[in-house]
Amino acid sequence: MDDAQFTLRTLLISFLPLFMNAQATANFIDAVPARPGTQSYSWSEPTTIMIFIPSGLTGADRMNFEMGINSVASMLPKITVQFKNGEPPAGTTNYVDVDIKPMETDPGGFGGGFVPDPFPSGMDHVNITEGFIEISGGSLGHSAVAPTFMKNLGAHEFGHVLGLDDDPRSSGMRMNVMDPDFNLIDDGMGTVIRADPFVGLSKRDKMMLSSHYMISVPEPSTWILASLGFVSLLLVNRKQISCRRALSTDQM
Ligand SMILES: [Zn+2]
């Protein structure tokens, strides 16, 4: 390797983390688009976020919605979620208010986010203490035909609650939680529900979250256990193969 090559590689390696970081921060909702860079919001860590579920969200809808939120929260070791019933009492902090808009019939009428505190000039980051998720009445009651709908909805809107922006894909299957295209199809007569596969946090989602949150990675001990399990599976397989061979030999 000559000197020029070496320098180029060193530069590429040292620039890579910068690019990754820039991309990750860019996917948090930009609080002040007019200012250069991204001024973002996120919850401080560690935080317990209380999620207040309205009485109108029940049964399978509620279960799937909470499962979607848990699929994201379970990857954030410093963020704990607690589900509560009803409306947040006055004076509550660190909460998400889930509301149902019963008069809205469009199943696509849902959204989530956070209540932004004023963004002081000269600051690039502000902590979130209050989030919200709004669900239209038309989004409810589809869990029997589209069980993944409320689950994808919970995961995606909780992503917004955490400060993430939408991250639309350019082609192919939906792979990322923050891809806003899920569960809805325009049939030309109004939007209808579709049962997309459930999508949990992807590598890309995690990379974005990691600019403000600690992300779970499998412990080394988990890998050792997993590989031990794999080796023993191989041994069992080999054993079964040799047994079968012995058996077929016997039968001949
Ligand atoms: Zn979205």
Side-chain angles (χ1 to χ4, degrees):
M1 188 194 297
D2 61 35
D3 276 355
Q5 243 182 342
F6 176 76
T7 313
L8 186 63
R9 280 185 197 190
T10 317
L11 275 176
L12 280 175
I13 289 163
S14 49
F15 269 103
L16 195 62
L18 287 178
F19 287 136
M20 286 175 71
N21 193 41
Q23 194 184 12
T25 309
N27 228 69
F28 272 75
I29 291 165
D30 194 355
V32 193
R35 267 167 61 185
T38 301
Q39 285 72 43
S40 55
Y41 289 92
S42 71
W43 299 75
S44 66
E45 291 187 315
T47 297
T48 297
I49 304 175
M50 286 178 288
I51 301 182
F52 285 85
I53 304 289
S55 58
L57 186 56
T58 57
D61 281 347
R62 175 172 179 167
M63 189 187 73
N64 291 330
F65 177 75
E66 291 186 2
M67 277 168 70
I69 291 177
N70 279 331
S71 77
V72 174
S74 63
M75 300 308 291
L76 308 172
K78 303 261 178 185
I79 298 289
T80 308
V81 294
Q82 280 178 2
F83 294 100
K84 306 269 182 190
N85 294 324
E87 288 295 309
T92 309
T93 54
N94 291 334
Y95 70 94
V96 176
D97 188 7
V98 181
D99 272 323
I100 291 172
K101 305 282 163 201
M103 300 309 282
E104 281 183 37
T105 52
D106 179 3
F110 46 79
F114 49 86
V115 179
D117 286 323
F119 216 92
S121 65
M123 282 185 72
D124 278 341
H125 180 263
V126 167
N127 284 336
I128 304 171
T129 55
E130 189 183 340
F132 66 89
I133 296 176
E134 289 183 347
I135 307 170
S136 80
S139 303
L140 302 178
H142 304 284
S143 279
V145 284
T148 52
F149 174 65
M150 289 302 287
K151 207 175 165 188
N152 276 326
L153 191 156
H156 181 87
E157 300 311 334
F158 189 61
H160 285 315
V161 166
L162 292 171
L164 286 180
D165 207 345
D166 278 328
D167 179 30
R169 68 186 183 279
S170 47
S171 64
M173 297 265 297
R174 181 173 184 261
M175 306 289 283
N176 305 308
V177 166
M178 292 322 290
D179 186 333
D181 171 37
F182 63 97
N183 301 107
L184 294 168
I185 192 163
D186 188 347
D187 66 350
M189 302 170 65
T191 316
V192 294
I193 300 274
R194 68 176 196 241
D196 280 0
F198 174 68
V199 167
L201 285 183
S202 64
K203 250 185 190 169
R204 183 176 167 82
D205 290 313
K206 286 182 193 170
M207 188 197 73
M208 288 161 182
L209 281 168
S210 69
S211 65
H212 285 306
Y213 298 100
M214 184 182 274
I215 302 283
S216 283
V217 287
E219 297 282 327
S221 57
T222 314
W223 282 111
I224 292 167
L225 280 176
S227 38
L228 277 179
F230 183 65
V231 168
S232 56
L233 203 70
L234 283 180
L235 288 175
V236 169
N237 260 340
R238 284 180 63 131
K239 232 181 184 173
Q240 280 176 345
I241 288 165
S242 54
C243 284
R244 224 175 283 145
R245 262 194 210 130
L247 197 69
S248 52
T249 316
D250 285 348
Q251 282 172 336
M252 280 202 299

